[in-house]
Amino acid sequence: HFIQEPQDAYIVKSNPIKLRCRAAPALQIFFKCNGEWVHQNEHFSQEYKDLSTGLKVRDVMINVSRQQVEDFHGPEDYWCLCVAWSHLGTSKSRKATVRIAYLRKNFEQDPQGKEVPINGMIVLHCRPPEGVPVAEVEWLKNEELLSSLTDDNIDTRADHNLIINEARLSDSGNYTCLASNTVAKRRSATATVIVYVDGGWDEWSEWTLCNSQCERQRSRECNSPAPRHRGKMCEGNSQTTENCTDGLCMDSSNDVALYSGLGAGIIAVAILVVAVMLYRKNHSEYGVDVIDSSALTGGFQSFNFKTTRQGNPLLLNSSMHPDLTVGRTYSTPLCFQDSTDKELFDPLPDIKVKVQSSFMVSLGVAERAEFHAKAPAETFPRDLSQDYCSTVDRRKKGLLALNGPFNTGKEELRTTGVFGHPGGRLVVPNTGVSLLVPHGAVAENMSWEMYMVINQGEASVQTLEGCEILLGPEVTYGPPGLDLFCPVAMTIAHCAEVDAENWNIQLKKKTQDSKWEEVMSVEEECTSCYCLMDLTSCHLLLDQPGSYALVGEPLTQAAIKRLKLAVFGSMEASSMNYSLRVYCVDDTPHAFQGVVAAEKTRGGQLLEEPKTLPFRANTFSLQVSIQDVPQFLWSIKPFTTCQEFSFPQVWCSNQQPLHCAFSLERYSPATSQLSCKISVRQVKGHEQILQVYTAVAKTEKESVPFFMQTDCTITSQTGPGAFKIPLSICQRICATFDTANAKGKDWQLLAQKLHLDRNLGYFAKQRSPSAVILSLWEARHQDTADLDSLASALEEIGKIHSKSSPKDQDEPEPDFNHIQAGSLCGTGQRTSPKTEDSAPEYTG
């Protein structure tokens, strides 16, 4: 038996290494390197007797030089073993590998400096230089060594990264990543971390006594806490003044000035009225009059000639009357696509039309009357502009009403299911909203009745701040007292074209007082939850039940949200009239469901497959026009061929559909076909064309489905059938990757190959990081029909592993190829190896 076997060794610089072997009882010992015997002259041996056992012990040693290792060119590392002989037989020792040690100079990733708020999480990434053996990493703060053993707030275990769970002021400093192995030490670039404190107001002071101007003041100071380390100053004023006599206080010396001002105002109004009357009289030959914009669907800019005013079948609210107290001058390009309409205004190329209506104000058009002429070029400050944000804010508070037949009292979308230890999936059909409950999340012998609810009211929208808008539906899951061992994966469809330069996207949760609080920004590191943004869906890993919403704030005019466009049609009460209804809605399945529900009640037909329009945050409106109507077969009311949604209407629709309508009348009952085009375009933006070709005679109507895909009716699945990855394979993957491995084969490599390698601090806090990663993969690929991406990732890991650590003949390695090809896909067949040294082959 061997008393000492040769050990793995590293050659540092040009110094040879010694391999040693001892065995008893042994008559002879020889080394064998790379399959060839080492010459007897290169062995250094001695023999002695073990006094405790009385056996003869032989001790043999050889030297291996750097030149020998460099000259060897084989499929694996340079290796040696020793063979011992005795009168009882022979024995072979373990293989010992010999490698040349090195450590490259440049780090693969240097830590980056950052500024974080107090109590926030700090994550500094570090990837050491390539080296043999693999470099160990330590962290220095201000040149002093950091240790997670002496500070529970610090974690240095996650892939060489430094994680400070809750930032303290004392954590500000210069951080350096130190990498070292047997041959050298390397220092990364220094990263400066600043922990800042934003200022906060203290209590308000008591009101002062009422002064001679009938005013009183109170003040506050920005010292609770005071801003530190570049923290923001408090927002708002430090002093407040208010009237203390309800406006009844008046100095007699000011009476003369007051009455003089009133008199001047009355005279000015009288002069203005006379001037307007003279102007209208002098220009009456043009036949242009102030329009009652409530006579058009949605209150769009247009003209009207002096004719007897009558009801309009497109009117959304026939009880609304014009308010002539509000007026704005419009110098923007007029929206006329129909040639017959345009000819009427050719003599007036530079006309400025005065549109006066409370409905126009309610739609926000008056607020942005001159956007076409005054809109900024390409970008604007982070708050977009005070005017824009204030308009958006009023829109969310209900001052800018939505256009369309939808009210807030909708039927609640709710789905429930009972889940136990095997887990399962909960789906709200046709909304893009689902919940994955992983296997093992619920304790054994326990079950929970879980639910998901989509809030369809507008109460939540009114509590959003500044320029924020909803990018998807507000979703609640529960019950409130839910107790799980691992996070659930919630999927919510969104309508944003995700770009960190143009959007600030946050996940928010509703508090008990129905206000929204930020949970995380999707671009920041967070250990309380995880957010993965795909092109059309957001995948969340959540520990706590509650109401969640994805909220976006545009940072530049290039920010884009997607709109879904659809056109429906139906015969009106009069058999000669046909109505076309065009819908513009946030591009999420849930929002389009509202359109489907409304059209099913009124018997509408989907006339063209819905299309997507990118809508930019450039403050310009959305125009909808009808074109190429056969003029000898159909007629349309004058000046209704183009209609318009104001920018705040569209941008702040918050999952509520907008629509406008065109009413066409056929000249003859024999006309049975309608063909035309609907153009939907944003001013200085994109355009989409909806092609309409339909039969209008009731006997020729065909049923057109609302959805091009199969409607989803399954609301819950439980047990193994709800998951794409078989449980046995999932457990096998977790057992392989959850355990730290010196060769780099751990859950972080799995996350990297599955393209989930950001916010690794969240996974590091989980009991089984691999299981949580696979849950996220399940949620992300719930609509795909195969496991190709996971199988490819495991296959690639297997190839990387086989290159970095070739298999020894006597030491089998984990079989990654069998996991991906045989067990995971279910089609692989393993064949017997041809020889002892040949690699296993797979078919399938």
Side-chain angles (χ1 to χ4, degrees), residues 20 71 209 267 331 376 416 444-445 469 621 693 715-717 827:
R20 194 170 183 177
D71 291 343
L209 296 176
I267 295 173
S331 58
T416 62
E444 294 190 55
N445 304 322
I469 61 170
S621 59
Y693 185 81
T715 59
S716 67
Q717 286 180 291
T827 57

Side-chain angles (χ1 to χ4, degrees), residues 481-559:
L482 189 63
D483 185 18
L484 301 176
F485 288 118
C486 60
V488 298
M490 178 186 289
T491 297
I492 303 177
H494 68 79
C495 62
E497 288 197 3
V498 181
D499 186 345
E501 294 183 358
N502 300 321
W503 280 104
N504 174 29
I505 300 179
Q506 299 176 343
L507 177 67
K508 292 200 172 187
K509 183 179 181 182
K510 187 181 289 185
T511 60
Q512 292 183 350
D513 55 354
S514 297
K515 294 183 179 179
W516 289 104
E517 65 177 5
E518 179 184 348
V519 178
M520 68 172 296
S521 173
V522 298
E523 294 300 324
E524 296 178 355
E525 305 278 349
C526 179
T527 57
S528 61
C529 65
Y530 191 98
C531 181
L532 174 66
M533 295 292 292
D534 279 342
L535 292 178
T536 59
S537 294
C538 168
H539 308 285
L540 307 171
L541 293 175
L542 304 172
D543 294 313
Q544 299 294 328
S547 297
Y548 294 89
L550 198 65
V551 173
E553 178 187 8
L555 303 180
T556 70
Q557 287 191 356

Side-chain angles (χ1 to χ4, degrees), residues 296-422:
L296 294 177
T297 302
F300 305 109
Q301 303 176 38
S302 185
F303 288 85
N304 198 359
F305 283 91
K306 283 189 174 180
T307 58
T308 303
R309 302 206 175 191
Q310 57 187 5
N312 191 312
L314 303 182
L315 186 61
L316 293 182
N317 187 351
S318 58
S319 65
M320 187 172 290
H321 300 286
D323 181 0
L324 300 182
T325 62
V326 180
R328 282 294 179 109
T329 299
Y330 284 78
S331 58
T332 61
L334 297 176
C335 177
F336 283 117
Q337 300 291 339
D338 189 87
S339 58
T340 59
D341 296 340
K342 187 176 185 302
E343 291 174 359
L344 298 173
F345 293 94
D346 282 342
L348 307 173
D350 297 321
I351 188 170
K352 291 187 177 181
V353 186
K354 190 171 184 182
V355 182
Q356 294 177 320
S357 171
S358 59
F359 195 30
M360 297 292 281
V361 178
S362 72
L363 293 177
V365 178
E367 292 290 333
R368 306 298 292 171
E370 298 179 358
F371 268 169
H372 296 244
K374 295 185 178 180
E378 283 300 325
T379 61
F380 32 65
R382 192 177 188 281
D383 60 354
L384 292 184
S385 78
Q386 185 177 3
D387 186 27
Y388 165 76
C389 289
S390 62
T391 304
V392 170
D393 192 48
R394 288 194 296 274
R395 161 70 186 83
K396 288 184 292 196
K397 292 180 178 178
L399 297 182
L400 301 175
L402 288 172
N403 174 32
F406 302 94
N407 53 47
T408 58
K410 292 186 178 180
E411 182 179 338
E412 184 181 71
L413 288 179
R414 181 186 180 96
T415 183
T416 62
V418 178
F419 297 93
H421 190 69

Side-chain angles (χ1 to χ4, degrees), residues 34 65-74 78 100:
N34 306 314
S65 67
R66 183 187 184 98
Q67 189 67 40
Q68 287 176 287
V69 177
E70 290 179 341
D71 291 343
F72 173 70
H73 302 286
Y78 190 101
I100 297 175

